[in-house]
Amino acid sequence: DEILSFFYDNKEIIDLNFSLDGYKEIHELNRPGFEKTMLNINKYEKLFGYKPLINAVVTKATIENTNEVIDFFLTNRFTKVNFSILFGQEDSSDKISNSMFNQFIEECHKRGLIMRQKVNGKKKYDCTKYGNLCGVGRTNIFIAKSGIYPCSRFLGDSNYLLGDFNSDFSDIESELNQYQTPKDGECYYETHKAGSKL
């Protein structure tokens, strides 16, 4: 409750999101605690007066149950959902292609879900896994317990560590400025993971 109050007091500058991949069976394929997540979402709604933004990972099971997943979000009045492709499991049977992901996004859009992929026609530098342009070296940093990285896909790779929780923002920015911004349509991780950061 104290943590939630902090986010409420800072709601003008921090947008709190919840990870929820769909109904219980879909959500718990990759994450535990569906009931706890829903309980915390309900606490959020009571305090803020509206539903939070949802982050959902799309797997093969999501694609195979497209209508049921969309029905779940709409029935529970989760109208703003940001979807991302499952990554980091290249050999997994859950992996999907970009075209499968894009077809899923189109179906969600048709059914009335509001997503980051369909906000407007402007270039959006964020992450290719969300269907946007890669933001490494432009707008992105990824913060985890193990440190701060230019992108979530570099998590745990000390060659790409920008700093930690004790680092000054100016030091992190200086480290980030060493990264050459990728061309539109390129993913920095895909292009540079085997090479240097420049």
Side-chain angles (χ1 to χ4, degrees), residues 153-154 157 159-160 187-198:
R153 299 184 78 178
F154 291 106
D157 187 337
N159 293 319
Y160 292 89
C187 165
Y188 191 94
Y189 177 83
E190 298 291 345
T191 307
H192 296 276
K193 64 182 177 180
S196 70
K197 58 184 169 183
L198 297 176

Side-chain angles (χ1 to χ4, degrees), residues 20-22 26-27 29-31 54-66 69-70 73 81-89 92-106 108 113 115 117 129-131:
L20 180 67
D21 295 340
I26 292 290
H27 178 80
L29 288 173
N30 292 298
R31 310 178 201 265
I54 299 297
N55 287 325
V57 172
V58 178
T59 65
K60 192 165 279 185
T62 312
I63 299 295
E64 291 168 353
N65 298 279
T66 294
V69 170
I70 297 172
F73 287 123
V81 184
N82 286 331
F83 294 101
S84 61
I85 283 184
L86 177 72
F87 67 89
Q89 299 183 28
S92 170
S93 59
D94 269 343
K95 187 177 178 192
I96 61 170
S97 67
N98 285 335
S99 64
M100 291 165 72
F101 178 72
N102 290 334
Q103 285 177 339
F104 174 78
I105 293 298
E106 286 301 324
C108 291
L113 290 176
M115 303 160 290
Q117 291 90 350
K129 75 175 185 152
Y130 297 121

Side-chain angles (χ1 to χ4, degrees), residues 93 105 148 164 168:
S93 59
I105 293 298
I148 300 171
D164 58 30
D168 290 335

Side-chain angles (χ1 to χ4, degrees), residues 135-138 148-151 154 157-162 172-182 188 192 196-198:
V136 169
R138 288 185 175 96
I148 300 171
Y149 301 87
C151 165
F154 291 106
D157 187 337
S158 60
N159 293 319
Y160 292 89
L161 186 65
L162 300 174
I172 293 168
E173 189 173 26
S174 178
E175 282 291 317
L176 194 62
N177 286 338
Q178 295 180 50
Y179 289 80
Q180 185 179 61
T181 56
Y188 191 94
H192 296 276
S196 70
K197 58 184 169 183
L198 297 176

Side-chain angles (χ1 to χ4, degrees), residues 10 22 55 81 114 122 152:
N10 292 280
N55 287 325
V81 184
I114 300 166
K122 294 179 182 176
S152 60

Side-chain angles (χ1 to χ4, degrees), residues 113-131:
L113 290 176
I114 300 166
M115 303 160 290
R116 69 199 307 155
Q117 291 90 350
K118 293 287 185 179
V119 171
N120 55 45
K122 294 179 182 176
K123 286 185 180 181
K124 182 169 175 59
Y125 291 100
D126 185 347
C127 181
T128 55
K129 75 175 185 152
Y130 297 121

